[in-house]
Amino acid sequence: MERKEQTERFKKGSANLAKIDGVGGQAVIDSLAGVGEDVGKYIIEFAFGDIYGRDALNFQQREMITITSLLSQGDTEPQLEVHINAALNVGLTQSEIVEIFIQCIPYVGFPKVLNALFVAQKVFDKQDN
Amino acid sequence: MERKEQTERFKKGSANLAKIDGVGGQAVIDSLAGVGEDVGKYIIEFAFGDIYGRDALNFQQREMITITSLLSQGDTEPQLEVHINAALNVGLTQSEIVEIFIQCIPYVGFPKVLNALFVAQKVFDKQDN
Amino acid sequence: MERKEQTERFKKGSANLAKIDGVGGQAVIDSLAGVGEDVGKYIIEFAFGDIYGRDALNFQQREMITITSLLSQGDTEPQLEVHINAALNVGLTQSEIVEIFIQCIPYVGFPKVLNALFVAQKVFDKQDN
Amino acid sequence: MERKEQTERFKKGSANLAKIDGVGGQAVIDSLAGVGEDVGKYIIEFAFGDIYGRDALNFQQREMITITSLLSQGDTEPQLEVHINAALNVGLTQSEIVEIFIQCIPYVGFPKVLNALFVAQKVFDKQDN
Amino acid sequence: MERKEQTERFKKGSANLAKIDGVGGQAVIDSLAGVGEDVGKYIIEFAFGDIYGRDALNFQQREMITITSLLSQGDTEPQLEVHINAALNVGLTQSEIVEIFIQCIPYVGFPKVLNALFVAQKVFDKQDN
Amino acid sequence: MERKEQTERFKKGSANLAKIDGVGGQAVIDSLAGVGEDVGKYIIEFAFGDIYGRDALNFQQREMITITSLLSQGDTEPQLEVHINAALNVGLTQSEIVEIFIQCIPYVGFPKVLNALFVAQKVFDKQDN
């Protein structure tokens, strides 16, 4: 994996991934070791290196945007689970996460919001126990 | 229009709509006077009365979520225009709005982000001139 | 839960929910007791109180529209299950429900229609046994 | 265009298209004469021949489903215009069409419903004048 | 099933289905025997008879397009599984399939690509063992 | 713009962009000069540098995948226009592009395919005249 270590973007992305997603993010990268190793690299370099590391918005705001985007496009349950955990990691509260989903009701309707709430419930239950 | 005036939810929603969307929001409601008068009422009562008026998130955060949701589902150009204006009204800066869209790139890809940026450019140009 | 009891909209919505969705609808509301209690309230007040209770279309037509909307946007399997049951409750037949899905083929393609048909098969099997 | 005339499905589809969409449907087929002639043939044979001609639902119900499906998936403004006209042709009223869109609010949110209402307004204005 | 046998389109579609999807495709058709028998017929006649049998693109190119379309619209996991198998059947390699998904990253973002990669991993694992 | 020149990824991406999209691609980048300059940089570095430059698929296959992905997600008319031009640039024929869209009918339905065909018609008309 020498190639990965050599870029600044990969180092910066790995650090951001660890700070934001904790173990959940690294688990996604590890799960890509088979078919999608390069995709794992792009997630680290581009998503967490180039994008998350930008100024103008902090990690809490970025996770607020990320879970909203995942909810609104649908069919992203595994990603929502990772990023609800990430949202908690960077300091958003359970109430704020639920409130983010409630704010989406007028714009996407109830079904996608219910789907996201049930993922949140699952994440919160694990955290609380 | 007597019926409308009588509910607390409608009053609260109208006040929130004025604070958040300014003239753009009222223009949407007015444009519904023909076929969709009741839809205008629901937008005021439910979206702006019930949802925007809740605690836990402020108007800036709610607009951050709203423009993310609109961008992520696509086919919402007129609504994006209204809510980019609303985002500016409640104090988000042009740079923050662009940054919200940039944060969506890893989650929805470039096309939807480009569409949103071109709407933002149009709104910013009007505001700056 | 005093607050809930007090609105006319909540009473009307609860009555509609019971008539339309039967036990399945109440189960969704109950499942929201943890993280999404307010969302359950909005579903009852807004969806079932304000919208389902309107004139111009009857409950059969409203469920025809609802299952079409759920199929067409995708990622709504749990909601489709509830509303296929609701469609049967308000008097649509199994053949009509299948036919609604078939009418969608030219507009959304086969994959979303297949997904909906497999949910319908599951609901019909439970009902027939 | 001899090949087209020869199938029963094409004849049946053409008859259904004329009954349902009137001039608007034929205009779509004609507009495909250049790049998408075969697509026009499939619309007639498959959509209007195979599907619209089935029993179990009448044309009013089929157009109710079609405009719901178009609204719910988004990015279908030209098709919505054709099928709002078709819905009127087969006997749905302006009020019923608006009510179909209102029933979708809890399931897709306000933006897609607003988009459909503005298309309806345009179609109704042409019809009324 | 006499009616089915009688059309040329059904025969041609069945032959194409067998060549492309192998056992997986027939399993989908068989699973529709209950509620969606006619849908199975349309898949064979229209999708595999009319469309897959056209000139201008070969089966490899058609499966490249199909799995891209399924990935890009989302909520199509069972269909992706069938068509990743089909893609392998008609001669696309595992590396090419992964590369097709990677090409989609800039256009749909990482979540939908990850979903497709995990389906591919599952299909490849079965094939390799 | 010194920063841009300095990366290998940017150089490689710019070369690929020129080869693939011709003037249309550069026009998109230029149009981002105001609000979305960094987005233009990411399109060049990530989309055209990292992704288009990979082995395993050639530019013709990559454009086949790209226009399929754009059609299938919807609300991408300006991007479709750029990439239909790009598809022609890298050697796909008008017939092949139309055939790619036809292959999508069973998977996304007619409306999104019609939208793409009308964009193609516009691009082909410009090219032919």
Side-chain angles (χ1 to χ4, degrees), chain F residues 4 7 14 26 29-30 41 53 58 61 66 68 85 94 115-116:
Chain F
K4 284 187 182 172
T7 74
S14 295
Q26 191 55 46
I29 303 300
D30 292 347
K41 188 173 81 83
N58 60 36
Q61 291 169 312
T66 298
T68 301
N85 269 305
Q94 291 189 4
N115 289 347

Side-chain angles (χ1 to χ4, degrees), chain D residues 5-114:
Chain D
E5 251 68 51
Q6 74 206 27
T7 74
E8 276 308 304
R9 295 167 67 236
F10 189 84
K11 275 189 217 157
K12 186 177 163 193
S14 295
N16 283 340
L17 181 73
K19 263 187 266 179
I20 296 167
D21 278 359
V23 290
Q26 192 53 47
V28 172
I29 303 300
D30 293 346
S31 69
L32 289 165
V35 292
E37 190 177 22
D38 287 355
V39 178
K41 188 173 81 83
Y42 294 137
I43 290 175
I44 290 176
E45 288 180 351
F46 179 64
F48 286 91
D50 290 348
I51 305 293
Y52 274 88
R54 293 170 56 89
D55 298 333
L57 294 174
N58 59 37
F59 285 167
Q60 284 192 20
Q61 291 170 311
R62 289 187 187 277
E63 283 303 332
M64 183 176 280
I65 294 160
T66 298
I67 60 177
T68 300
S69 183
L70 292 171
L71 176 155
S72 300
Q73 68 179 290
D75 194 30
T76 59
E77 188 174 317
Q79 291 80 27
L80 257 179
E81 188 173 340
V82 169
H83 283 281
I84 290 169
N85 269 305
L88 294 165
N89 274 354
V90 297
L92 288 168
T93 65
Q94 291 189 4
S95 310
E96 284 169 331
I97 291 167
V98 169
E99 195 65 32
I100 291 163
F101 297 164
I102 290 176
Q103 174 64 20
C104 292
I105 299 173
Y107 301 104
V108 301
F110 289 103
K112 287 189 164 45
V113 173
L114 290 178

Side-chain angles (χ1 to χ4, degrees), chain F residues 35 43 49-50 57 60 69 73 77 81 86 94 96 107 113 124:
Chain F
V35 292
I43 290 175
D50 290 348
L57 295 174
Q60 283 194 19
S69 183
Q73 67 178 292
E77 187 173 318
E81 187 173 341
Q94 291 189 4
E96 284 170 329
Y107 301 103
V113 173
F124 296 168

Side-chain angles (χ1 to χ4, degrees), chain C residues 85-106:
Chain C
N85 268 304
L88 294 166
N89 274 353
V90 298
L92 288 167
T93 65
Q94 291 189 4
S95 311
E96 285 169 331
I97 290 168
V98 169
E99 195 65 32
I100 291 164
F101 296 164
I102 290 175
Q103 174 64 19
C104 293
I105 297 173

Side-chain angles (χ1 to χ4, degrees), chain E residues 63-79:
Chain E
E63 284 302 331
M64 182 176 281
I65 293 160
T66 298
I67 61 177
T68 300
S69 183
L70 293 171
L71 176 155
S72 300
Q73 68 178 292
D75 195 29
T76 58
E77 187 175 317
Q79 290 81 27

Side-chain angles (χ1 to χ4, degrees), chain C residues 1-88:
Chain C
M1 216 64 47
E2 207 174 63
R3 182 183 46 132
K4 283 185 182 174
E5 251 67 51
Q6 75 205 26
T7 72
E8 275 309 304
R9 295 167 67 238
F10 189 84
K11 275 189 215 157
K12 186 177 164 193
S14 296
N16 283 340
L17 181 72
K19 262 187 266 180
I20 296 166
D21 278 358
V23 290
Q26 192 55 47
V28 172
I29 303 300
D30 292 347
S31 71
L32 289 165
V35 293
E37 191 176 21
D38 286 356
V39 177
K41 187 172 83 83
Y42 294 136
I43 291 176
I44 291 176
E45 287 180 352
F46 180 62
F48 287 91
D50 290 349
I51 304 294
Y52 275 87
R54 293 170 57 91
D55 296 334
L57 294 174
N58 60 36
F59 285 165
Q60 283 193 19
Q61 291 169 311
R62 289 187 187 276
E63 284 302 331
M64 182 176 280
I65 294 160
T66 299
I67 61 178
T68 300
S69 183
L70 292 171
L71 176 155
S72 301
Q73 68 179 290
D75 194 29
T76 58
E77 187 175 316
Q79 291 80 28
L80 256 180
E81 187 174 341
V82 169
H83 283 282
I84 290 170
N85 268 304
L88 294 166

Side-chain angles (χ1 to χ4, degrees), chain B residues 74-75 98 102 110-112 114-115 117-118 121 124, chain F residues 31-32 34-35 39 42-43 70 73-76 79:
Chain B
D75 194 29
V98 169
I102 290 175
F110 289 103
K112 288 189 164 44
L114 290 179
N115 289 347
L117 282 172
F118 291 128
Q121 181 72 74
F124 297 168
Chain F
S31 70
L32 289 165
V35 292
V39 177
Y42 295 137
I43 290 175
L70 292 172
Q73 67 178 292
D75 194 29
T76 58
Q79 291 80 28

